[in-house]
Structure formats: structure tokens, C-alpha cells
């Protein structure tokens, strides 16, 4: 056998035992008469010792030739170390080597295989298989495996069954572009890779599989924003004979289970917040509630003065920054420049310093007196020593800008602690949202989301006011899961398609199979999907999902390790009857 123990396993109790170990050479130290080698595998590091007094000369000479990342096997005796290392689990022992076999030599790696490596991100992506040997990446992948295992444990104990659904499916309009796969056997026709298993999990409910889940790859051909991947992993779930409250309770329980098992954190009941309240109070539908800085609307106390910027604005809104009164003018000017960046898009920022003596100093003192500014402080819950930051303009755009500023300030102030967890449910989303480009309504979630029954009459009179039976689970300012109660009867589904601009013929072409299934006794059903990549990153106390994916793509959607995507031969294209014409040809 290649090993009797792993390199993280041996302890002082194993002294005098004969062992066989295998692994990679982390580093070696040659003192001439003695050589030490740190032998690594995914379990840890064991120090090997080659001693001219106790090791055969040919073995000692061979040890002197070992390079970094050589793969070796050794046999020897566990002995107690004279100079113990308390920083590793095996630090009280070392192995006196009697036999050494080089299983494979290695080229010098392009970066050091250390926790703090000298390799940049591009080179580490190109040699990802080497990067995985480093503890940070290795531990993230082990952590991801643990989370996935606990998900399966929880759902299995709740009587869910794991069912796989197809990857080669029909293209449907679900928001982002589909990845398209040509069919050689069906000339001129294409499969699509699923953006989610949405229709299949609903069909499983029609089939009587009343508690379904799978951990599944999904695909979206969209322009990659920061920390997005074209292929991502969902914890996909669907249940029959349930209402919204049933689903919230089950998956709140799952999240609580994960926090306890993975992070050893106990969390009470999750708060519930309507979409309308989230947008008004935090400026987005996934608020980070680990800290305050809630929005205070100032129209009533800031308009109708002589300050034209506010008078002309649809919304004037501010936040109180704790301790911000101490900011220098230079620091405040940098904040103003930050909100004026194209990524945020504000035209400027008004500020008010709430002095410790109860007075106020603002950038608009010319237009507002102390009584006015006190009203601003009351509206934003500002205390002496705080700084009030105020933005104005179109309501939706201004809320988004202030939300970005709120998150930036919280990061700078150290309020977004990775070891604190603040989950909540956001409910009562709009069913539809207006698209200015196409000048029609689109489903905010997807076409199968059920409207609130009491709001259905509004579909004909005021579609934008119709609320959905939809819900998102938010953790630390990130949407980690979302779902809805589904439409399960043909009449309501046809009504929904009508308001989304589908003709009866288009609806039948795209979703006829689902509509037909509804005529064979579809049960009431609903579901939820978690983004596993994002969930794992947050539970792991990090921001970047790429660090928890074994072989991620870069921001251009490329795998630089295997050089994908890549051109294919003309022979393959001919078999598929595909001709490629590039724009510059």
C-alpha cells in the first residue's frame, strides 16, 4: 500500500511505530549530515528526517535531490521531535526514514504552493490544479463539500427525494440568454442548457413526487458582472400541497441547520420584511441588517425652501453614519467623489455634521437653519457625533445610489463582520416589472409565479400593483435563495401569459407541455432554489464565490486552464450543418 497513515494523522502516541507515508514535498532543508523534508497531503504535513547516523547513505543522498512538489513514498519509524512545532497537529513527532521512493518528479511550480503565495490570480487560474494544493483553496473545497452534505442530510430527513432532471432541454424565455447546443441528429434544431430546472420540477409535482430536491448545475449566457459565473450550482427544491408559510418554515429550518452544523451559530426566528419596506428603508431588495443606517426620507422637511436641487427632486433621502462627525473635509470630499463615480452615478451629496453639543454644520447652511437640520436628524435617527449623508433625484435611482453608499460606509466602518449572520425573508414582491426598452411588463421572477389571489383583479387595471406569492431569503446583504408559490391551473397560467405579451400560439409553442400537464390534476405547489456557490462563500466568511469553485471561469467567461471556449474543426461544423460568419468577415 502507498500509505498506512495520512500526513495529518500521526501523534506522540504513535512513537516507535513503523509507518508508510506518501505525498508531495512541501520543502526540504539540507544541513549536509541531516536532511528534513516536510511531506504534505490534503490532511496535513509530517516532518521527515534523514540522518547520516541512522539513515542508509544512498537514501540520504537521494533525499538531497528532492525538489518541491516531488511525489514520494517513505517508510520509517515515528520518533519524538526535539524541537516541537506547536503550529501543526503533527508537530510533536517526525518520521526517521529508512526507505524512500520517488513516485514522480515535478517541474518547478510557477508559483509557491504556500498559504501566502507569490502567484497572481491569472497564473493561479491557469494552473488551478496546483492552486488547489494550497490550504486556502483546499479548505474552501472541503468546506463546500461539508455544506452540500449537510443540505442533503437535512432535506433527506424531511422526506425529500433527490431527482435528476435533463441538461439538454428546450430554449425558453427566462430572462438571460440560453447556452445553445446544436443537435446533429435533428438538423437545424437546438437544445438549450437549463437556466434552472423550473418546468421539470413543476412536472415532478404533477407526477406526484411531492418533495423534490437536487444539487444541480445551471447555465446563463449573460454578461459577467463581478463575481458571477456562467455555470453555477443551485440547491433546487419543490413541494406539493404547501402554502408560502410551509416553505418558509422548512427552508428557514435548513438555513438554521447549516449555521449550527457548519458555523456553530444559533439563530432565532428570521425577520420578515415586505419588498416595499426593504426598498424604502434600505434601497434594495436584499438588505444587510447586520447594521443600521436605515434610510430617512426628507421630502417633507427639506423641500419648499430655496434649495432648487431638493425642490426639483422626486426623492430626498439620507442616512446617519455613526461617528461620522469626526470626518475631515478631505474625507467627506472623497465620499462625494465616490458617489459621483459612474458605477454609482450620483450628481453630488449634501452632508450634515451632528456636533456633540447638539448643533449642526452642513454643506447647505445657506438654505437651512438649525431647526431644519434638527428635523433631518430626527428623520434619519442621527445622534450627536454622527454624519448625515443626503442624496436626491429620481426615487428608484436615488435609493439605489444611497444603498451603494450605505454598504460602502459599512465596509469602511467594519460593520459587515463575516462571523455575524443576519438572515431575513423578503416577501410580497411585485409580480411584474415594466421594461422601458420593450415597453411591456416582464415577470419579475418567472412566468409561473402565482399572483396574490386578492390582487388578480388588478392585472387588468393596474398590473404594476399586483403582488406575487414570491419570497427571497437574504443573508448578510446577499440573496441566497428565492422562490414562489406556482400557478397550477391552466386558466390562471393563460392569464399570466397574456399579460406578459405572449400570444396563445407563442404560449403553446413555448410551454404547451406544461399547460397540458396542468389538465391532468396538478396539485398546489411551490418551491425555492438556493445559490450554493453564494451560500457557501457567505458561510465561509468570504465575499468571492470563485474561491469556493474547483475550476471557475474568469470574468470573460473563459477557462484559461483548458483554454475554453475554443474553435472546433470544420469537420465538426459540417456534421452539424453550421456555417460561421464573424462580424469582420
Amino acid at each position: 500500500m502507498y500509505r498506512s497513515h495520512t500526513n495529518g494523522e500521526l501523534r506522540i502516541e504513535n512513537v516507535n511505530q513503523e509507518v508508510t507515508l506518501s505525498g508531495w514535498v512541501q520543502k526540504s532543508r539540507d544541513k549536509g549530515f541531516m536532511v528534513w523534508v516536510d511531506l504534505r497531503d490534503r490532511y496535513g504535513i509530517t516532518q521527515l528526517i534523514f540522518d547520516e547516523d541512522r539513515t542508509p547513505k544512498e537514501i540520504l543522498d537521494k533525499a538531497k535531490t528532492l525538489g518541491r512538489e516531488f511525489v514520494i513514498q517513505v517508510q520509517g519509524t515515528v520518533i519524538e521531535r526535539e524541537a516541537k512545532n506547536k503550529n501543526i497537529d503533527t508537530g510533536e513527532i517526525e518520521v526517521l526514514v529508512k526507505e524512500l521512493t520517488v513516485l514522480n518528479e515535478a517541474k518547478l511550480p510557477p508559483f509557491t504552493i504556500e498559504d501566502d503565495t507569490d502567484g497572481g490570480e491569472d497564473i493561479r487560474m491557469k494552473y488551478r490544479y496546483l492552486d488547489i494544493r494550497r490550504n486556502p483553496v483546499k479548505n474552501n473545497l472541503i468546506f463546500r463539500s461539508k455544506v452540500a452534505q449537510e443540505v442533503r442530510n437535512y432535506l433527506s430527513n424531511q422526506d425529500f427525494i433527490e431527482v435528476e432532471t435533463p441538461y439538454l432541454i428546450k430554449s425558453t424565455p427566462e430572462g438571460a440568454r440560453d447556452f445553445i447546443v446544436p443537435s446533429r441528429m435533428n438538423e437545424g434544431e437546438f437544445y438549450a442548457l437549463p437556466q434552472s430546472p423550473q418546468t421539470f420540477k413543476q412536472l415532478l409535482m404533477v407526477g406526484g413526487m411531492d418533495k423534490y430536491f437536487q444539487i444541480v448545475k445551471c447555465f446563463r449566457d449573460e454578461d459577467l458582472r463581478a463575481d458571477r459565473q456562467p455555470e453555477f450550482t443551485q440547491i433546487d427544491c419543490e413541494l406539493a400541497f404547501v402554502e408560502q408559510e410551509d416553505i418558509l418554515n422548512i427552508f428557514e429550518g435548513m438555513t438554521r441547520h447549516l449555521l449550527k452544523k457548519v458555523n456553530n451559530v444559533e439563530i432565532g426566528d428570521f425577520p420578515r420584511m415586505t419588498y416595499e419596506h426593504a426598498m424604502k428603508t434600505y434601497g434594495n431588495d436584499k438588505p444587510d441588517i447586520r447594521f443600521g443606517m436605515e434610510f430617512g426620507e426628507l421630502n417633507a422637511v427639506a423641500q419648499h425652501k430655496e434649495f432648487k436641487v431638493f425642490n426639483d427632486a422626486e426623492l430626498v433621502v439620507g442616512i446617519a453614519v455613526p461617528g461620522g462627525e469626526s470626518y475631515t473635509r478631505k474625507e467627506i470630499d472623497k465620499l462625494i467623489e465616490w458617489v459621483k463615480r459612474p458605477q454609482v452615478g450620483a450628481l453630488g451629496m449634501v452632508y450634515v455634521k451632528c456636533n456633540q453639543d447638539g448643533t449642526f454644520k452642513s454643506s447647505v447652511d445657506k438654505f437651512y437653519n438649525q431647526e431644519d437640520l434638527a428635523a433631518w436628524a430626527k428623520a434619519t435617527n442621527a445622534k450627536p457625533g454622527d454624519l448625515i449623508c443626503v442624496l436626491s433625484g429620481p426615487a428608484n435611482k436615488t435609493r439605489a445610489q444611497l444603498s451603494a453608499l450605505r454598504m460602502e460606509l459599512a465596509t469602511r466602518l467594519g460593520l459587515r463582520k463575516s462571523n455575524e449572520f443576519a438572515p431575513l425573508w423578503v416577501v410580497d414582491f411585485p409580480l411584474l416589472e415594466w421594461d422601458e426598452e420593450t415597453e411591456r411588463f416582464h415577470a419579475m421572477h418567472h412566468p409561473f409565479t402565482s399572483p396574490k389571489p386578492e390582487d388578480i383583479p388588478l392585472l387588468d387595471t393596474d398590473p404594476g400593483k399586483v403582488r406575487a406569492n414570491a419570497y427571497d431569503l437574504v443573508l448578510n446583504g446577499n440573496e441566497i435563495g428565492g422562490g414562489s408559490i406556482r400557478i397550477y391551473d391552466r386558466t390562471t397560467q393563460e392569464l399570466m401569459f397574456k399579460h406578459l405579451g405572449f400570444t396563445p400560439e407563442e404560449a403553446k409553442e413555448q410551454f404547451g407541455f406544461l399547460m397540458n400537464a396542468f389538465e391532468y390534476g396538478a396539485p398546489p405547489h411551490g418551491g425555492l432554489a438556493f445559490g450554493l456557490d453564494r451560500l457557501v462563500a457567505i458561510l465561509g466568511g468570504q465575499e468571492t464565490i470563485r474561491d469556493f469553485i474547483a475550476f471557475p471561469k474568469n470574468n470573460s467567461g473563459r477557462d484559461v486552464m483548458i483554454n475554453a471556449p475554443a474553435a472546433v474543426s470544420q469537420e465538426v461544423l459540417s456534421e452539424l450543418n453550421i456555417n460561421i460568419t464573424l462580424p469582420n468577415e
Side-chain angles (χ1 to χ4, degrees), residues 106 117 146 208 266 347 351 377 410 414 437 463 479 520 576:
T117 182
K146 182 178 180 181
E266 299 271 8
L347 297 178
Y351 67 88
E437 288 187 16
E479 177 198 334
Y520 289 91
L576 296 168

Side-chain angles (χ1 to χ4, degrees), residues 239-306:
L239 305 88
F241 303 109
V242 290
E243 296 178 334
Q244 178 172 301
E245 194 64 25
D246 301 311
I247 293 176
L248 266 56
N249 287 335
I250 287 173
F251 293 103
E252 184 170 318
M254 188 182 90
T255 309
R256 225 185 259 117
H257 171 84
L258 292 174
L259 285 166
K260 176 61 179 173
K261 290 291 187 179
V262 176
N263 298 89
N264 197 29
V265 171
E266 299 271 8
I267 298 285
D269 291 342
F270 295 4
R272 310 278 177 90
M273 185 182 298
T274 65
Y275 170 86
E276 183 179 9
H277 180 77
M279 295 301 294
K280 186 174 181 178
T281 310
Y282 298 99
N284 67 59
D285 57 6
K286 46 182 184 297
D288 192 336
I289 59 172
R290 285 175 291 181
F291 55 95
M293 288 198 279
E294 296 181 357
F295 289 12
E297 295 195 359
L298 303 174
N299 288 41
V301 294
Q303 291 182 327
H304 313 300
K305 300 288 182 177
E306 296 182 11

Side-chain angles (χ1 to χ4, degrees), residues 184 567-580:
R184 180 183 58 79
V568 297
S569 69
Q570 185 58 49
E571 181 182 359
V572 171
L573 293 174
S574 297
E575 284 184 337
L576 296 168
N577 293 299
I578 290 177
N579 291 315
I580 296 178

Side-chain angles (χ1 to χ4, degrees), residues 507-523:
K508 183 177 180 180
E509 169 67 21
Q510 295 284 351
F511 304 107
F513 60 93
L514 185 64
M515 305 288 280
N516 290 338
F518 284 172
E519 295 188 340
Y520 289 91

Side-chain angles (χ1 to χ4, degrees), residues 363-567:
S363 56
V364 286
D365 281 346
K366 178 180 176 182
F367 304 99
Y368 299 95
N369 59 33
Q370 292 291 297
E371 186 177 338
D372 295 328
L373 299 178
W376 295 17
K378 183 178 180 181
T380 57
N381 290 315
K383 305 291 188 292
D386 290 351
L387 176 75
I388 304 172
C389 297
V390 183
L391 301 181
S392 63
N396 292 341
K397 186 179 291 187
T398 302
R399 287 193 177 102
Q401 292 163 354
L402 191 60
S403 174
L405 177 60
R406 175 179 179 268
M407 295 295 278
E408 174 66 17
L409 286 166
T411 300
R412 295 184 186 189
L413 293 169
L415 302 178
R416 301 178 67 194
K417 296 180 173 66
S418 61
N419 60 349
E420 291 181 4
F421 299 96
L424 77 150
W425 290 103
V426 177
V427 298
D428 292 353
F429 283 81
L431 181 71
L432 306 169
E433 59 184 347
W434 183 256
D435 188 302
E436 293 290 347
E437 288 187 16
T438 60
E439 295 187 342
R440 66 183 180 91
F441 282 104
H442 289 261
M444 183 170 246
H445 285 78
H446 53 66
F448 316 111
T449 296
S450 169
K452 294 276 186 184
E454 63 269 28
D455 288 357
I456 289 179
L458 292 173
L459 278 170
D460 290 320
T461 59
D462 196 352
K465 290 286 181 66
V466 179
R467 294 168 301 160
N469 256 325
Y471 34 82
D472 279 357
L473 181 54
V474 177
L475 182 60
N476 294 0
N478 293 273
E479 177 198 334
I480 59 167
S484 65
I485 298 298
R486 320 300 187 193
I487 296 169
Y488 66 95
D489 65 283
R490 184 174 188 130
T491 302
T492 306
Q493 189 64 71
E494 286 178 343
L495 181 64
M496 183 67 172
F497 285 147
K498 172 189 169 185
H499 284 281
L500 291 174
F502 288 93
T503 65
E505 293 75 23
E506 288 170 336
K508 183 177 180 180
E509 169 67 21
Q510 295 284 351
F511 304 107
F513 60 93
L514 185 64
M515 305 288 280
N516 290 338
F518 284 172
E519 295 188 340
Y520 289 91
H525 60 283
L528 181 142
F530 284 80
L532 179 64
D533 308 309
R534 182 78 55 203
L535 175 62
V536 170
I538 295 170
L539 294 179
Q542 298 185 36
E543 295 283 337
T544 306
I545 65 172
R546 188 183 297 168
D547 295 336
F548 291 86
I549 298 172
F551 299 103
K553 307 282 190 296
N554 67 14
N555 287 339
S556 299
R558 297 196 65 85
D559 185 329
V560 295
M561 182 184 67
I562 63 172
N563 193 29

